[in-house]
Amino acid sequence: MIAAVLALRDVRRRYSDGYALDVPSLDVFAGEILGVIGPNGSGKSTLLRILGLLERPDAGQVIVGGRAVDARDALAERRRMATVFQEPLLADASVADNAGLGLRFRGVPAAEAAPRVARWLERLGVAALAGRAARTLSGGEAQRVALARALVLEPEVLLLDEPFSGLDAPTRAALVTDLGAILRADRVTTVLVTHERGEAQALADRVAVLMDGRLRQLDDTARVFYAPVSEEVARFVGVETLVAGRVLGREAGVTAVEVGGRVLEVAAVAAAGARVRVGIRPEDVTLTVAEGARVASSARNALDGTVTRVSASTHATHVLVDVGFPLVAAVTARSVNELGLRPGARVRAVFKASAAHLIPA
Amino acid sequence: MDLLAAGVREALRLLVSGDAEVVAILLLSLQVSGAATLISLVLGIPAGAALALLRFPGRTLVVSAVNAGMGLPPVVVGLFVTLLLWRSGPLGAWEILYTPAAIVLAQAVIAAPIVMGITLAAVQNVPEKFRLQLLALGASRTQMVGVVLREARLPMLAAVMAGFGGIISEIGASMMVGGNIKGQTRTLTTAMVLETGKGNFEVAIALSLLLLVLVFGVNWALTAIQQRRVW
């Protein structure tokens, strides 16, 4: 068992408005990127502040490098970490001065700090701004400087609190890519708090789902997204089809589940007769024309149905199909045209046995 | 109108010729008010910053007292400092009543709440989230306060201007605790009252011009720093 670089044990934090955080155990291992996702107000930021020794829990321990520490008297431990927040608040000084702030706090001589600062501004793509006044930067530039001033400290744990939330979509996408590359190349131990599940999916090795102050699931990223443990978690990680079903039995390596009068073939194992919820991610469902020959495909499930709703969003168009139960598919704008997807249209929905996930009802 | 014109002419002559008494009065005023401003900064900045950053019961009351103190009438300060420094008073043993030191003391008492109040407002204006971010970068409490004060440096220059401007031009306290003794505790403002009373308008005008130029000059220099935002 590898020792955690940072851990929480029986941590509780209560606020007067009734909101509470309750985390029996959480470990952050060296070199991993741990995503903490959850809706707004679920306690993610509080959790991160407690991890960063910026706030004391009412009960429980924060363990840094195997030793329990008290946030009131933990300057040395606090200096082993660095946090970047949603809003990059920079000091009224030059970009380079801002990036060197943490090194100055640690008493690193200016001659030694300058090349380190220059290198990190370079890695974050803001070297050209070094001499600029920090207050004149755009939001994206400022966040890159804020990341540089944290990364230049080479923290044992980098804590990120919604670092991309304040940015517009193209800026955010570029920063997620650049930061991901840096974190992986340097194997920076990172805790990333975000309400955008896509960011966690893109960056995290493991994901913790926090809801109402409690950890609902903590597992490898793929497991959380493709095998959520509860309906609530499933909804939050983007499983849009969630329907009640009954397990008929298992045969030839697949489980037959009856849902809304249709029989689905599901890869997951479950006992015959069990009541379950079947979860399917919209991007795992393909729509084709209903008529014609069977589509040659490894997909086990092909259900004909009628389109009941088409809703376009920024990323993809979601199509609700009645196949005996409501099934959501994500399609491209091109498919909407080519297949003539509109309410009333007949389509065939296809998905693999492995795309359907069973949650105990 | 002749009186004014003649007064200005005579005033300019006095200034240009560098009249010994006028120069002495000017220097004393500068020294006394400069020293008092320094003392008020040394006391007022840490106290104002502490008041901005700390939370304790009764804090609102203290903040209100400081804000009220920004408008402390110099005559009232003069009275109480006189009583303090009176031979039989609590600080009578210092024997500084009717010396420049007494004026420095009284003026520091007037300026300190001004400096404190403006510092308090300036530091409070620095977002709490910014302080959290400094701590998250590994700042000690002291380092955090240092950076926050540096962030508030522009509004705090206003504290220097307001403090100095308030006491260089006050008269009540200087008169009461200094006594307007020629060659010892005669300042620009007390001299002006005296000369006006004696009918020496040209001297009074000369002194008032000096005072105006002085106040303007100091504020101009500080404003230049503030607006250029060089450091």
Side-chain angles (χ1 to χ4, degrees), chain A:
Chain A
M1 178 84 189
I2 327 148
V5 281
L6 182 59
L8 298 183
R9 292 289 176 267
D10 300 314
V11 159
R12 278 202 295 275
R13 182 87 173 94
R14 249 163 249 293
Y15 288 94
S16 48
D17 55 3
Y19 155 79
L21 182 72
D22 191 343
V23 178
S25 177
L26 180 69
D27 295 271
V28 183
F29 297 108
E32 77 166 340
I33 301 176
L34 173 66
V36 179
I37 60 174
N40 288 327
S42 58
K44 304 184 300 291
S45 294
T46 304
L47 179 75
L48 201 74
R49 283 198 301 274
I50 290 173
L51 280 170
L53 299 170
L54 298 170
E55 183 170 326
R56 287 182 78 226
D58 297 326
Q61 290 181 317
V62 183
I63 297 164
V64 183
R67 216 169 54 82
V69 289
D70 186 334
R72 274 181 310 193
D73 177 33
L75 182 58
E77 283 78 11
R78 190 146 47 79
R79 284 184 175 167
R80 293 165 69 170
M81 301 184 259
T83 311
V84 175
F85 298 85
Q86 176 176 347
E87 215 182 326
L89 295 175
L90 303 176
D92 189 8
S94 74
V95 164
D97 284 351
N98 268 285
L101 209 50
L103 293 174
R104 231 180 61 210
F105 291 151
R106 286 160 180 76
V108 176
E112 188 190 319
R116 285 172 68 180
V117 165
R119 193 171 81 87
W120 278 99
L121 289 177
E122 178 75 49
R123 286 191 77 177
L124 281 143
V126 284
L129 306 176
R132 278 262 295 274
R135 292 278 159 88
T136 65
L137 302 183
S138 72
E141 291 166 343
Q143 193 58 287
R144 283 173 184 268
V145 173
L147 283 162
R149 80 176 169 181
L151 282 162
V152 72
L153 303 171
E154 287 163 16
E156 284 174 49
V157 185
L158 177 68
L159 304 169
L160 303 173
D161 188 1
E162 304 268 10
F164 314 112
S165 295
L167 308 174
D168 58 62
T171 311
R172 183 191 313 149
L175 189 52
V176 169
T177 308
D178 292 357
L179 182 64
I182 289 172
L183 297 182
R184 288 210 187 79
D186 291 26
R187 291 184 46 79
V188 181
T189 309
T190 307
V191 181
L192 167 68
V193 156
T194 176
H195 70 277
E196 276 291 334
R197 58 174 192 259
E199 290 169 7
Q201 203 172 9
L203 295 175
D205 302 308
R206 288 196 306 151
V207 166
V209 183
L210 195 67
M211 286 175 160
D212 298 323
R214 283 172 169 72
L215 284 180
R216 295 301 168 85
Q217 189 168 1
L218 171 55
D219 211 332
D220 292 340
T221 304
R223 298 272 313 155
V224 170
F225 280 85
Y226 294 101
V229 292
S230 70
E231 210 176 318
E232 262 185 305
V233 172
R235 276 193 206 292
F236 188 76
V237 299
V239 176
E240 297 200 14
T241 300
L242 271 168
V243 285
R246 192 168 54 85
V247 178
L248 301 175
R250 191 166 168 85
E251 169 177 341
V254 290
T255 305
V257 182
E258 185 269 328
V259 180
R262 311 294 291 257
V263 177
L264 307 184
E265 296 186 347
V266 175
V269 179
R275 297 272 167 195
V276 291
R277 304 290 283 182
V278 180
I280 305 163
R281 303 185 67 85
E283 61 270 25
D284 289 337
V285 180
T286 312
L287 297 184
T288 64
V289 284
E291 288 76 30
R294 282 194 77 89
V295 192
S297 154
S298 62
R300 302 298 293 252
N301 300 291
L303 308 171
D304 289 345
T306 310
V307 173
T308 53
R309 197 174 69 221
V310 179
S311 46
S313 79
T314 47
H315 303 301
T317 302
H318 283 195
V319 181
L320 183 64
V321 185
D322 181 6
V323 292
F325 59 89
L327 179 66
V328 183
V331 299
T332 60
R334 176 190 290 265
S335 304
V336 175
N337 273 328
E338 287 178 358
L339 298 173
L341 296 178
R342 60 185 163 299
R346 294 288 296 169
V347 290
R348 175 167 294 168
V350 180
F351 56 93
K352 295 180 181 180
S354 59
H357 165 65
L358 301 183
I359 300 165

Side-chain angles (χ1 to χ4, degrees), chain B residues 87-151:
Chain B
R87 209 182 306 278
S88 56
L91 301 178
W94 291 7
E95 295 189 346
I96 58 166
L97 194 58
Y98 306 127
T99 70
I103 310 179
V104 170
L105 178 65
Q107 292 194 342
V109 171
I110 296 167
I114 298 176
V115 172
M116 216 173 141
I118 296 179
T119 303
L120 170 73
V123 170
Q124 253 176 359
N125 240 349
V126 177
E128 197 172 342
K129 283 181 181 169
F130 180 70
R131 278 146 47 194
L132 187 73
Q133 299 201 3
L134 295 176
L135 294 176
L137 287 172
S140 67
R141 302 291 289 178
T142 323
Q143 287 170 332
M144 184 267 282
V145 173
V147 176
V148 167
L149 282 177
R150 193 178 174 281
E151 281 303 284

